[in-house]
Amino acid sequence: MSNRRDHRTSKSALFDSFDSIEEGGIRASSSREIDEHSNNSAINSLQDRVSFLKRLTGDIHKEVESHNRMLDRIGNEMDTSRGIMSGTMARFKMVFEKKSSRSMCKLAAYFVVSFFIIYYSLRFFRYFMNG
């Protein structure tokens, strides 16, 4: 009986030590699995963030390119408008110079005609007054 007890004790000791090793192994492997799982989830999170930032920078690049094209078109249109405006201003300048010289000629002509009218009307009144 003592042999049986020894056998049972040694058997239970063997299984107890095996269970404790197995539990430690489970604990060690489960902590590794938890660490790997948290690392994988962190890597996945980083990958998601990187892909989001890549899409975002791609969208920003497209937006910048479209704004650059729009600014180039506006610059070209402004250059065209500047050319048209300078031509128009040159034409206005010619018209105003001609018009101002015409106006000056008309003003001088009115002045000369007015002078002769006043001169002859004064002579005419003097002639009738002196008699």
Side-chain angles (χ1 to χ4, degrees):
M1 187 124 164
S2 120
N3 194 8
R4 261 183 155 183
R5 274 190 201 164
D6 289 337
H7 182 52
R8 277 189 182 168
T9 351
S10 67
K11 189 177 180 184
S12 72
L14 178 65
F15 281 113
D16 287 341
S17 67
F18 184 76
D19 286 338
S20 67
I21 290 172
E22 195 173 77
E23 286 175 8
I26 289 174
R27 286 183 192 148
S29 68
S30 71
S31 68
R32 277 190 221 135
E33 286 176 12
I34 291 171
D35 289 342
E36 286 179 21
H37 179 70
S38 65
N39 284 343
N40 288 340
S41 65
I43 288 171
N44 289 337
S45 174
L46 285 174
Q47 285 175 339
D48 292 341
R49 290 178 186 173
V50 167
S51 64
F52 173 74
L53 288 174
K54 185 177 179 182
R55 284 193 310 269
L56 184 65
T57 55
D59 292 343
I60 290 171
H61 179 73
K62 288 176 187 175
E63 193 72 23
V64 166
E65 289 293 324
S66 71
H67 282 109
N68 281 339
R69 283 192 301 272
M70 184 173 50
L71 287 173
D72 286 341
R73 280 195 311 263
I74 289 172
N76 291 338
E77 289 173 4
M78 289 298 285
D79 288 340
T80 303
S81 299
R82 187 177 300 131
I84 291 171
M85 283 300 290
S86 63
T88 303
M89 291 304 290
R91 287 186 204 113
F92 272 129
K93 190 176 180 181
M94 286 184 349
V95 166
F96 285 129
E97 284 175 357
K98 287 180 181 178
K99 191 163 188 140
S100 65
S101 61
R102 285 182 192 163
S103 297
M104 290 299 277
C105 288
K106 287 180 184 178
L107 185 63
Y110 289 133
F111 183 70
V112 169
V113 169
S114 300
F115 178 75
F116 282 119
I117 291 174
I118 293 172
Y119 176 74
Y120 283 113
S121 63
L122 285 176
R123 261 183 100 185
F124 180 71
F125 284 123
R126 246 191 261 169
Y127 178 72
F128 278 112
M129 295 290 208
N130 289 333

